[in-house]
């Protein structure tokens, strides 16, 4: 196995690992944010049976914008979705902070409430950079010239300088990974004590 194949496999492994990590962090951040935003909506007197819609709107917008930013990596339309992503994340972070403060958990809880959505943004950006990185093969080494010493001093043959070139690297083409369908929130009825 040559170095290019090892780099290619290493890059594929890094990309898939990053995708799995981002999905795990994103799932955890979504669940934590969903719970806080739903609770905040209930505190704002949204009917309990409808309170789940608020986090779906806020965090669903973040998921949709993230997918669009990744899909439109080389497009001018990416700027719009980047702004939507930042706005959605700002609302999510603000809602998580408001929930911590309004529910009486204090400043430390408000600071901790920022971690999950902020980590999701940082990891998403890292994933986008990683997915845009292309494998580049190392440049071919320059030819090496070596002088050959004659075997004996009485040899009338001229000095021969062979040119030894390095082998040309073989470029393999790999198909990019297929896009994975995003995880969508599922409405789960929550018993409310007899209604």
């Amino acid at each position: 196995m040559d170095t290019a194949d090892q780099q290619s496999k290493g890059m594929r492994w890094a990309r898939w690992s990053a995708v799995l990590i981002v999905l795990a962090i994103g799932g955890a951040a979504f669940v934590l944010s969903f719970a806080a935003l739903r609770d905040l909506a209930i505190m704002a007197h949204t009917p309990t049976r409808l309170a789940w819609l608020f986090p779906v709107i806020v965090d669903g917008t973040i998921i949709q914008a993230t997918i669009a930013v990744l899909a439109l990596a080389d497009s001018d339309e990416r700027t719009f979705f980047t702004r939507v992503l930042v706005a959605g994340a700002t609302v999510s972070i603000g809602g998580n902070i408001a929930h911590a403060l309004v529910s009486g958990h204090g400043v430390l809880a408000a600071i901790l409430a920022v971690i999950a959505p902020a980590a999701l943004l940082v990891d998403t950006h890292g994933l986008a950079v990683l997915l845009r990185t292309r494998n580049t093969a190392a440049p071919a080494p320059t030819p090496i010239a070596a002088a050959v010493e004659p075997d004996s001093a009485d040899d009338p043959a001229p000095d021969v300088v062979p040119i030894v070139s390095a082998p040309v690297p073989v470029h393999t083409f790999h198909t990019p990974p297929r896009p994975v369908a995003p995880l969508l929130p599922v409405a789960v009825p929550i018993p409310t004590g007899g209604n």
Side-chain angles (χ1 to χ4, degrees):
M1 180 181 301
D2 66 354
T3 306
D5 285 341
Q6 288 174 343
Q7 288 176 347
S8 176
K9 285 184 180 181
M11 185 56 83
R12 258 195 328 267
W13 180 85
R15 284 183 178 144
W16 280 108
S17 297
V19 167
L20 292 175
I21 290 168
V22 167
L23 287 175
I25 291 172
F30 181 81
V31 168
L32 290 173
S33 181
F34 185 94
L37 293 176
R38 181 183 173 280
D39 198 26
L40 185 64
I42 291 170
M43 289 179 189
H45 303 291
T46 302
T48 305
R49 70 181 186 285
L50 299 176
W52 65 273
L53 291 172
F54 180 63
V56 167
I57 292 168
V58 173
D59 290 338
T61 299
I62 293 172
I63 292 170
Q64 179 270 334
T66 301
I67 292 167
V69 166
L70 292 174
L72 298 172
D74 298 326
S75 174
D76 292 337
E77 286 83 18
R78 179 175 186 238
T79 304
F80 170 75
F81 288 106
T82 301
R83 289 181 181 148
V84 171
L85 178 60
V86 169
T90 302
V91 171
S92 181
I93 289 171
N96 279 276
I97 291 172
H99 173 261
L101 294 175
V102 170
S103 59
H105 295 300
V107 177
L108 180 60
I111 293 170
L112 290 176
V114 173
I115 292 173
L120 179 60
L121 281 177
V122 170
D123 290 343
T124 301
H125 178 72
L127 177 62
V129 170
L130 185 62
L131 292 176
R132 279 184 297 210
T133 303
R134 304 285 185 238
N135 288 339
T136 55
T142 56
I144 301 170
V148 177
E149 297 294 324
D151 290 339
S152 64
D154 5 3
D155 188 4
D159 290 342
V160 178
V161 181
I163 296 179
V164 179
S165 64
V168 178
V170 176
H171 297 284
T172 57
F173 297 96
H174 300 283
T175 57
R178 294 188 331 236
V180 177
L183 297 176
L184 299 176
V186 177
V188 177
I190 298 175
T192 58
N195 288 344

